[in-house]
Amino acid sequence: MNKFLKNLNEEQRKAAEILSGPCMVLAGPGTGKTTIIIHRLAQLVQSTIVNPENLLVVTFSKDAAAEMKTRFVKFAEEHKVANSRQIGEITFGTFHSVFFKILRQYESYKLENLLDEGEKFMLIKNIARKMQLDFCEDDDRIGDVINDIGYLMNTMADSVTYKPESCTIDEFRAIFESYYTIKHKQNKFDYDDMLTDCYYLLRNNKRVLDEVRSKFKHILIDEFQDISPVQFETIKLIANPLNNLFVVGDDDQSIYGFRGAAPGILMEFEELYPNSAKVILKQNYRSTKHILNCALSLIDNNKNRYEKRLQPTKEQGIMPVITTMKDFEDEARFIACKIKELNGAGSNLSDIAVIYRTNLQSRALVDAFMDHNIPFIAADGAASIYNHWVFKDIIAYLLLAVGTGGEKEIVRVLNKPKRYISRDSIATAMKHNGDLISNLITYCTLNGRQVNILMDFQHCIKKMSGMKLKEAFKYIRGYIGYEEYLRDYASSKGINVRGLLEALEEAENAVKNFNDIKEFLQHIEEVSLTTKQAKHKTKQQDSVRLLTMHKAKGLEFDAVFIAGAVEGLNPYEGSDSLSNESLEEERRLFYVAATRAKKLLNISIPKERYNKQVKASRFVDEILNIDLQESLNLQVGQKVYHKIFMEGTITNISKVKDTTKLMIDFYGAHKQLDLKLCLQNNLLVIK
């Protein structure tokens, strides 16, 4: 056995020593999956069965691939397992980078012909404009169309029968076909094409496939639960017939189904490769015993998963703290205050994260952090409510109301709700100087009804100029008919109106603390500036991380706050419309969020959302539904310490339904205590 394997636990060592054939390593959170890949690479390089140039290491992001290579270089140098030449021969990369190299070598693909994400966005937006689709200026909806195209390509679905989330089937098909026609004419390709084009190249060209197979004889894949069908089909072609395929993943952390990831591939790995080895990493080196056991209590409710039980290696710690508050504004202020306390007690802000299910929730948190002067780093620059197109519509109305809006704002909301003014009429009016509304009436052929509608639009804007902010918002929502417009819009597009109404409700919550429209608009400018600055902060700066559950994957923090643990958000859909498959993915999301915490996990439950009562998430009950006696290995005679009653000895342990009661002798004073409540409130320490 190599000396560098001695630091591994039994399961890790077993995985690292499997040098050939298919092997699946189930690596839960904090079990050292990257460590396994590094050690196995070292084993392979030192062995005589493979040359370094025949090794391929694949992961899902450029940063992860770079980190993997950096860690291996450091490890190889420390343990003298490979020289610089050997290290340089190993291929580290993402699926996209590896597949592009193949296309560049055999199909003469050039980097200058790649459509980057910005160019792709503008191309699809221009297609929507030419088709005169009503969402052509809505950047969020264009992004949704791009997501649908990505899902279609990654899952290798049929574009004719595919049902998009972003728009109608006919609209999507027309955009998709036009996009690919333009790309073909311009000799361009995008990141999705890298995947599909490489697959078809290898499937249809045996000579190329044989050469690629001879190059990559051993393949190691990280985060295998996130693999998509087109990625796996390509890897299968390359790996066959040797099938030296070493995959590391965790079915309990598969949370990217919306991108086309297929966790079923990991679940079916043993069927696809009947002679494969399977290793389950059991020891968790990240979280305290209480946090880990509570997270396992949650994920055990999923049925479609591999059976496994992680074992904590850290101290007992404290129970996850469950806090109930009035609403989401109260929750944001509470979290800000608790973070201030932690920071004052010596915790670094960079060791703290606030994790939530949807970006809409970031609005209240950003406001609270700004009020408390807490620096933060927001994933993707905090794509908060202020960036949502619904909110931008409201802002456009408010800018017009205070006289600082112009042609741009009028064009944005003129047909929201529908006022039957055509794009051609607007384009004609914009060719002339002066007021756009006056130009529409003067230079365009409008009927009497349209003229009256435009005059009513002007009247509404003028009337709002004398209103307080809350009154103006309700006026836009109700009298002007913006909420009805959202409902009609969703119905015409065949999409769920829920997300749009949530954005509208969040916008109404945002205006609650302001009376003056101009004051509120100034606040939005400040938030916009702060979030832009937060986007460019580095991880080295001492700032709290604001993250969605999807963005939190792969990270770890001393303290984690899970915000908005209520039904409707966690899980995101209501129980009536949620399939078992979707519910299990939602549970995995909550599990990922909980297992980011190393020492402290705080879960908050607002009682109200948008002035309506909401229930605590079912996941909270599941996360606390652990057998505390078994988890703590409690026994009569065991010593404890209580914050109020001080030193004590357990004299009796009893269970009443699901509640564990302890009878404790505190120097002759006998007290019966609820174990779960004591641990939740950090009152009791078991010695």
Side-chain angles (χ1 to χ4, degrees):
M1 180 176 69
N2 280 315
K3 291 181 180 179
F4 57 74
L5 295 181
K6 290 183 178 180
N7 294 327
L8 301 180
N9 63 45
E10 182 181 348
E11 290 82 16
Q12 289 175 330
R13 188 160 53 250
K14 179 181 177 182
E17 289 178 335
I18 298 172
L19 299 183
S20 62
C23 177
M24 173 178 65
V25 179
L26 296 176
T31 56
K33 63 181 180 62
T34 305
T35 298
I36 288 303
I37 294 176
I38 297 300
H39 281 75
R40 188 171 188 273
L41 271 178
Q43 280 282 90
L44 287 168
V45 170
Q46 281 207 331
S47 73
T48 58
I49 65 171
V50 60
N51 292 320
E53 64 181 14
N54 298 135
L55 289 168
L56 170 62
V57 185
V58 188
T59 189
F60 282 80
S61 73
K62 186 177 179 181
D63 288 344
E67 181 185 357
M68 186 80 73
K69 183 173 183 178
T70 299
R71 285 186 59 176
F72 179 71
V73 169
K74 183 179 179 182
F75 182 88
E77 290 174 348
E78 287 179 355
H79 296 276
K80 296 181 174 57
V81 298
N83 56 44
S84 57
R85 179 189 60 79
Q86 291 173 314
I87 293 171
E89 290 176 345
I90 302 172
T91 301
F92 293 86
T94 64
F95 284 102
H96 288 93
S97 66
V98 172
F99 292 177
F100 174 67
K101 287 178 182 177
I102 295 172
L103 291 168
R104 184 175 60 187
Q105 180 176 351
Y106 294 103
E107 292 285 272
S108 300
Y109 276 50
K110 297 178 180 178
L111 195 58
E112 55 262 35
N113 292 337
L114 171 65
L115 278 172
D116 65 29
E117 292 303 298
E119 293 170 324
K120 180 178 182 177
F121 183 91
M122 289 309 303
L123 179 52
I124 291 177
K125 187 170 185 175
N126 287 331
I127 292 170
R129 283 172 174 164
K130 289 180 181 178
M131 292 172 59
Q132 295 192 339
L133 298 177
D134 58 3
F135 60 81
C136 65
E137 301 302 328
D138 180 353
D139 288 355
D140 291 326
R141 288 291 301 282
I142 299 298
D144 291 340
V145 172
I146 292 172
N147 289 339
D148 269 320
I149 291 174
Y151 185 90
L152 172 71
M153 300 291 284
N154 271 277
T155 58
M156 306 174 75
D158 183 355
S159 62
V160 176
T161 58
Y162 177 69
K163 294 181 180 180
E165 297 285 335
S166 57
C167 53
T168 66
I169 294 176
D170 290 339
E171 288 172 344
F172 177 76
R173 192 180 304 161
I175 293 172
F176 183 79
E177 291 175 357
S178 179
Y179 174 57
Y180 271 83
T181 298
I182 293 172
K183 278 196 302 179
H184 180 72
K185 287 181 178 179
Q186 296 180 355
N187 193 29
K188 296 282 189 178
F189 63 93
D190 62 20
Y191 286 100
D192 293 326
D193 294 324
M194 288 183 187
L195 305 180
T196 56
D197 290 359
C198 187
Y199 167 69
Y200 287 115
L201 168 65
L202 297 178
R203 192 189 72 172
N204 298 329
N205 192 319
K206 189 176 184 306
R207 178 188 65 81
V208 172
L209 177 58
D210 287 342
E211 289 186 22
V212 174
R213 282 174 173 169
S214 66
K215 167 67 175 172
F216 300 128
K217 295 180 179 179
H218 284 258
I219 303 173
L220 298 84
I221 303 177
D222 189 19
E223 302 285 7
F224 188 71
Q225 76 279 350
D226 295 331
I227 199 166
S228 71
V230 67
Q231 291 166 343
F232 184 56
E233 290 302 320
T234 308
I235 289 295
K236 271 203 306 182
L237 285 172
I238 298 172
N240 191 57
L242 296 175
N243 292 327
N244 292 320
L245 191 56
F246 185 85
V247 303
V248 182
D250 181 15
D251 51 311
D252 289 333
Q253 296 186 76
S254 178
I255 58 174
Y256 295 120
F258 68 97
R259 290 184 186 169
I265 295 173
L266 179 65
M267 298 299 294
E268 296 168 4
F269 190 83
E270 291 175 291
E271 294 179 23
L272 294 167
Y273 299 97
N275 297 320
S276 63
K278 179 171 77 172
V279 180
I280 301 176
L281 303 187
K282 298 175 183 177
Q283 291 183 279
N284 174 280
Y285 297 95
R286 176 185 299 159
S287 304
T288 60
K289 187 173 184 179
H290 273 322
I291 291 174
L292 182 61
N293 285 342
C294 285
L296 293 174
S297 176
L298 167 74
I299 203 63
D300 280 345
N301 289 277
N302 274 2
K303 306 303 179 188
N304 186 31
R305 61 188 291 264
Y306 284 107
E307 285 296 324
K308 49 192 172 299
R309 191 71 188 176
L310 297 181
Q311 299 168 353
T313 59
K314 288 195 170 183
E315 70 280 1
Q316 170 187 312
I318 64 173
M319 280 285 287
V321 179
I322 313 298
T323 311
T324 303
M325 55 273 304
K326 179 179 180 292
D327 56 24
F328 282 70
E329 307 294 326
D330 191 30
E331 174 190 56
R333 289 189 290 269
F334 166 80
I335 291 174
C337 289
K338 295 301 288 186
I339 288 174
K340 279 279 193 182
E341 288 179 18
L342 289 172
N343 188 228
S347 295
N348 294 323
L349 293 178
S350 56
D351 292 327
I352 303 170
V354 185
I355 303 175
Y356 38 83
R357 177 62 181 83
T358 72
N359 268 317
L360 287 179
Q361 294 171 256
S362 68
R363 196 275 312 163
L365 291 162
V366 167
D367 285 355
F369 277 37
M370 289 180 63
D371 289 343
H372 287 78
N373 295 314
I374 299 174
F376 61 89
I377 298 175
D380 296 331
S384 67
I385 178 63
Y386 299 116
N387 296 323
H388 195 288
W389 66 267
V390 168
F391 199 90
K392 288 180 179 178
D393 288 348
I394 300 295
I395 293 300
Y397 269 113
L398 294 176
L399 287 168
L400 291 170
V402 296
T404 54
E407 200 172 74
K408 175 184 174 183
E409 284 71 31
I410 293 174
V411 171
R412 182 174 187 94
V413 299
L414 189 57
N415 280 303
K416 297 176 180 181
K418 192 72 174 176
R419 294 187 174 94
Y420 307 100
I421 308 300
S422 70
R423 295 182 187 278
D424 290 341
S425 294
I426 294 172
T428 299
M430 290 176 70
K431 292 177 182 177
H432 300 273
N433 295 325
D435 178 68
L436 180 62
I437 301 298
S438 298
N439 289 344
L440 281 166
I441 296 172
T442 303
Y443 298 107
C444 301
T445 307
L446 305 180
N447 58 40
R449 180 168 178 263
Q450 288 173 306
V451 172
N452 288 335
I453 288 174
L454 287 177
M455 294 178 69
D456 181 65
F457 175 76
Q458 286 182 311
H459 172 74
C460 289
I461 298 300
K462 184 177 180 181
K463 189 170 183 179
M464 278 194 296
S465 65
M467 293 180 180
K468 295 294 185 183
L469 176 59
K470 296 174 189 176
E471 185 184 2
F473 184 90
K474 291 183 181 298
Y475 189 74
I476 296 167
R477 181 173 183 168
Y479 182 83
I480 288 179
Y482 188 76
E483 179 177 340
E484 185 179 357
Y485 156 74
L486 291 180
R487 295 182 185 277
D488 291 342
Y489 178 84
S491 177
S492 67
K493 297 301 176 186
I495 61 176
N496 194 328
V497 73
R498 175 188 169 179
L500 302 181
L501 293 182
E502 283 183 345
L504 188 62
E505 295 282 6
E506 193 63 44
E508 183 162 10
N509 270 358
V511 307
K512 282 182 178 179
N513 297 323
F514 300 87
N515 286 320
D516 183 69
I517 296 176
K518 288 184 178 179
E519 180 189 359
F520 179 61
L521 293 173
Q522 177 63 35
H523 170 71
I524 292 172
E525 287 186 15
E526 292 172 2
V527 170
S528 177
L529 178 61
T530 302
T531 52
K532 284 179 181 177
Q533 292 172 342
K535 184 177 182 180
H536 297 293
K537 286 182 180 179
T538 65
K539 295 178 182 179
Q540 285 70 40
Q541 291 177 282
D542 197 30
S543 304
V544 179
R545 295 292 296 274
L546 298 182
L547 301 154
T548 62
M549 290 179 174
H550 285 100
K551 288 288 184 181
K553 187 168 173 287
L555 304 175
E556 61 181 27
F557 305 90
D558 285 346
V560 168
F561 293 82
I562 298 180
V566 298
E567 289 289 310
L569 282 175
N570 294 287
Y572 182 67
E573 292 288 347
S575 56
D576 292 339
S577 58
L578 205 65
S579 67
N580 287 334
E581 183 180 352
S582 296
L583 176 60
E584 293 210 346
E585 179 150 330
E586 289 291 320
R587 186 176 283 112
R588 291 195 293 269
L589 268 173
F590 208 89
Y591 173 74
V592 165
T595 53
R596 300 311 93 196
K598 294 196 283 187
K599 298 177 182 178
L600 173 68
L601 176 61
N602 192 304
I603 302 172
S604 50
I605 307 170
K607 293 180 181 178
E608 294 181 3
R609 189 179 188 215
Y610 308 139
N611 298 316
K612 296 179 182 177
Q613 286 197 340
V614 287
K615 295 180 180 179
S617 168
R618 70 193 76 180
F619 299 152
V620 176
D621 284 338
E622 293 174 1
I623 211 168
L624 293 178
N625 188 29
I626 61 174
D627 189 326
L628 291 169
Q629 181 179 351
E630 180 181 339
S631 175
L632 298 171
N633 192 26
L634 291 182
Q635 298 175 6
V636 172
Q638 199 161 357
K639 299 295 183 182
V640 301
Y641 178 83
H642 192 278
K643 279 191 174 180
I644 298 173
F645 306 121
M646 311 300 280
E647 301 281 347
T649 304
I650 298 174
T651 59
N652 186 52
I653 303 172
S654 60
K655 287 191 177 181
V656 181
K657 294 184 178 179
D658 294 329
T659 303
T660 300
K661 299 286 187 180
L662 298 182
M663 184 64 73
I664 304 176
D665 178 4
F666 294 101
Y667 298 105
H670 293 269
K671 303 285 184 181
Q672 187 178 60
L673 303 177
D674 184 308
L675 177 59
K676 183 178 289 187
L677 288 177
C678 285
L679 294 174
Q680 273 184 232
N681 292 285
N682 198 23
L683 294 173
L684 191 69
V685 176
I686 310 297
K687 294 189 174 181

